[in-house]
Amino acid sequence: MVYFNEIIGQTELVEALRNSVKNGKTAHAYIFTGPEGIGKRMMAEAFAGALLCSSNKEGEACGECSCCNMVKSGSNPDLHTIEAEGNNIGIEHIRNIQSEIIVKPLYSGKKIYLIIDADKMTTQAQNCLLKTLEEPPPYAVLILTTSNYNAIIETVKSRTLKYNFKKNSRDEI
């Protein structure tokens, strides 16, 4: 399990996400974009953990509740990670999301879907994702990570909240 306080750099993004969790004001879909290896996945996992935490201390996951323990063990049924099999994420992955997302969360108030390297989604998969982005269940949060923002179609971009990751300073490195 990753925590916001373990993330070096990206201070503004950490604070914005932490505050959205603390204030209960989260969007239904996010795109984390920036250079490869900058920590987009780590941030997505920290954000997901904070959203799923039942204690949620100051916008951070507590690491002790049953939801956090399930995240740590990789067994939280309210957290789903979708990654490319081979070179792309196909339409079948998105159809699986659509069939699962209608089931309410089992242990927390949110159900999180992390789509890692979303730029690897085929155009058909991205178009299929639009239905979910346009009419998401109130408990659903989708987090897409990408190093190639231009590979995401405009209609998907327009329905997500974009977070730009910047290169870390020398001191942060």
Side-chain angles (χ1 to χ4, degrees), residues 134-146:
E134 289 169 347
E135 300 172 10
Y139 50 78
V141 177
L142 289 99
I143 306 168
L144 289 68
T145 69
T146 181

Side-chain angles (χ1 to χ4, degrees), residues 3 30-31 36-37 51 57 79 81 91 98 101 125 129 170:
Y3 302 95
Y30 297 83
I31 291 182
E36 197 167 320
L51 287 170
K57 298 176 182 174
L79 176 61
T81 303
I91 195 168
Q98 290 173 334
I101 205 165
L129 184 62
R170 286 194 176 278

Side-chain angles (χ1 to χ4, degrees), residues 22 59 65 73 79 86 96 100 113 116 121 130 133 146 173:
K22 188 171 26 176
C65 68
S73 69
L79 176 61
N96 286 340
E100 293 173 358
Y113 289 85
I116 307 301
M121 279 191 292
L130 285 175
L133 292 174
T146 181
I173 293 171

Side-chain angles (χ1 to χ4, degrees), residues 11-164:
T11 310
E12 294 167 1
L13 300 181
V14 168
E15 284 309 307
L17 293 170
R18 184 181 278 141
N19 285 333
S20 72
V21 173
K22 188 171 26 176
N23 298 326
K25 304 233 184 236
T26 53
H28 70 282
Y30 297 83
I31 291 182
F32 292 175
T33 183
E36 197 167 320
I38 199 70
K40 299 176 297 287
R41 181 184 187 133
M42 189 175 185
M43 183 80 78
E45 290 173 353
F47 186 39
L51 287 170
L52 293 172
C53 178
S54 56
S55 297
N56 198 318
K57 298 176 182 174
E58 295 301 306
E60 179 83 69
C62 72
E64 299 169 4
C65 68
S66 62
C67 290
C68 285
N69 285 326
M70 284 188 283
V71 169
K72 283 183 205 174
S73 69
S75 64
N76 191 316
D78 298 331
L79 176 61
H80 304 269
T81 303
I82 294 86
E83 296 185 73
E85 289 178 8
N87 292 332
N88 62 39
I89 298 172
I91 195 168
E92 65 280 353
H93 293 98
I94 305 307
R95 286 188 177 139
N96 286 340
I97 290 173
Q98 290 173 334
S99 66
E100 293 173 358
I101 205 165
I102 58 173
V103 178
K104 291 185 178 182
L106 296 173
Y107 293 98
S108 66
K110 298 283 183 195
K111 195 167 190 178
I112 314 295
Y113 289 85
L114 305 179
I115 303 178
I116 307 301
D117 295 329
D119 49 289
K120 292 183 179 178
M121 279 191 292
T122 63
T123 302
Q124 295 85 359
Q126 291 186 55
N127 281 317
C128 186
L129 184 62
L130 285 175
K131 182 178 185 330
T132 303
L133 292 174
E134 289 169 347
E135 300 172 10
Y139 50 78
V141 177
L142 289 99
I143 306 168
L144 289 68
T145 69
T146 181
S147 297
N148 184 2
Y149 185 70
N150 294 327
I152 306 297
I153 62 174
E154 286 301 319
T155 47
V156 169
K157 290 178 188 177
S158 69
R159 288 162 177 80
T160 57
L161 190 55
K162 179 182 176 187
Y163 280 79
N164 284 315

